[in-house]
């Protein structure tokens, strides 16, 4: 049996994963080829001693990885304040943080380890499948 000849399933797989016990994130699965394509879009060339060197533009990578986040739940201003230094308006501690492109990018840029977590979770097919099976 040749795996490359088998028809691939729909790779539009998503599942909920928990970030450090603080809130849940709905993440879309990325195949290895899709992840490589996203990394390729983030490459930039710089010259060191007249020799080209490829490097990853982290701002572009954060934008690419943020697209894997479909939604989140349990992220309140109080929780966010434990992850990034923000001032919470009086009485707004339990207000939900909406899952917007701007908020996704802020978390990717400001929260230690969140970008790595998203990259790892979006490529962990077995964990996402387990979550789907657990729901059903």
């Amino acid at each position: 049996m040749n795996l490359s000849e088998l028809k691939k399933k729909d790779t539009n797989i998503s599942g909920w994963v928990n970030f450090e016990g603080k809130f849940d994130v709905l993440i879309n699965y990325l195949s290895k080829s899709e992840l490589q394509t996203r990394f390729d879009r983030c490459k930039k060339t710089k010259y060191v001693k007249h020799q080209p060197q490829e490097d990853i533009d982290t701002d572009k990578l954060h934008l690419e990885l943020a697209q894997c986040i479909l939604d989140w739940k349990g992220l309140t201003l109080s929780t966010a304040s434990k992850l990034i230094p923000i001032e919470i308006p009086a009485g707004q501690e339990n207000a939900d943080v909406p899952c917007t492109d701007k908020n996704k990018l802020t978390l990717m840029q400001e929260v230690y380890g969140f970008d790595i977590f998203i990259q790892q979770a979006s490529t962990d097919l077995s964990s996402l499948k387990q979550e789907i099976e657990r729901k059903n």
Side-chain angles (χ1 to χ4, degrees):
M1 179 177 297
N2 189 343
L3 288 175
S4 64
E5 293 175 0
L6 294 175
K7 184 177 179 182
K8 290 186 180 178
K9 288 184 174 182
D10 179 23
T11 57
N12 193 11
I13 298 168
S14 59
W16 290 96
V17 290
N18 187 275
F19 179 67
E20 296 182 350
K22 294 179 173 53
F23 66 102
D24 293 323
V25 185
L26 180 60
I27 297 181
N28 197 35
Y29 171 71
L30 285 180
S31 66
K32 185 173 181 176
S33 60
E34 177 62 24
L35 181 64
Q36 186 60 52
T37 299
R38 289 179 186 232
F39 270 115
D40 289 345
R41 288 194 295 245
C42 298
K43 287 182 181 175
K44 62 182 178 181
T45 302
K46 65 179 184 177
Y47 290 87
V48 177
K49 296 183 181 180
H50 306 290
Q51 298 297 316
Q53 272 187 343
E54 284 191 338
D55 201 7
I56 297 291
D57 183 332
T58 54
D59 291 333
K60 285 183 182 178
L61 182 58
H62 287 155
L63 285 170
E64 291 288 339
L65 290 174
Q67 293 174 11
C68 297
I69 301 171
L70 303 177
D71 198 5
W72 58 54
K73 58 185 175 185
L75 180 59
T76 62
L77 287 176
S78 177
T79 303
S81 72
K82 294 173 185 157
L83 300 170
I84 54 178
I86 57 172
E87 282 189 35
I88 302 172
Q92 298 281 323
E93 295 83 10
N94 294 323
D96 287 329
V97 176
C99 185
T100 63
D101 289 341
K102 196 168 191 173
N103 287 339
K104 291 177 196 178
L105 192 56
T106 299
L107 291 180
M108 295 295 261
Q109 293 172 335
E110 300 291 331
V111 176
Y112 282 105
F114 189 67
D115 53 346
I116 295 166
F117 166 78
I118 296 298
Q119 181 181 337
Q120 290 175 342
S122 67
T123 58
D124 190 352
L125 181 60
S126 63
S127 291
L128 294 175
K129 280 187 167 184
Q130 283 177 356
E131 180 61 29
I132 291 168
E133 290 171 7
R134 191 174 65 86
K135 277 190 206 176
N136 295 334

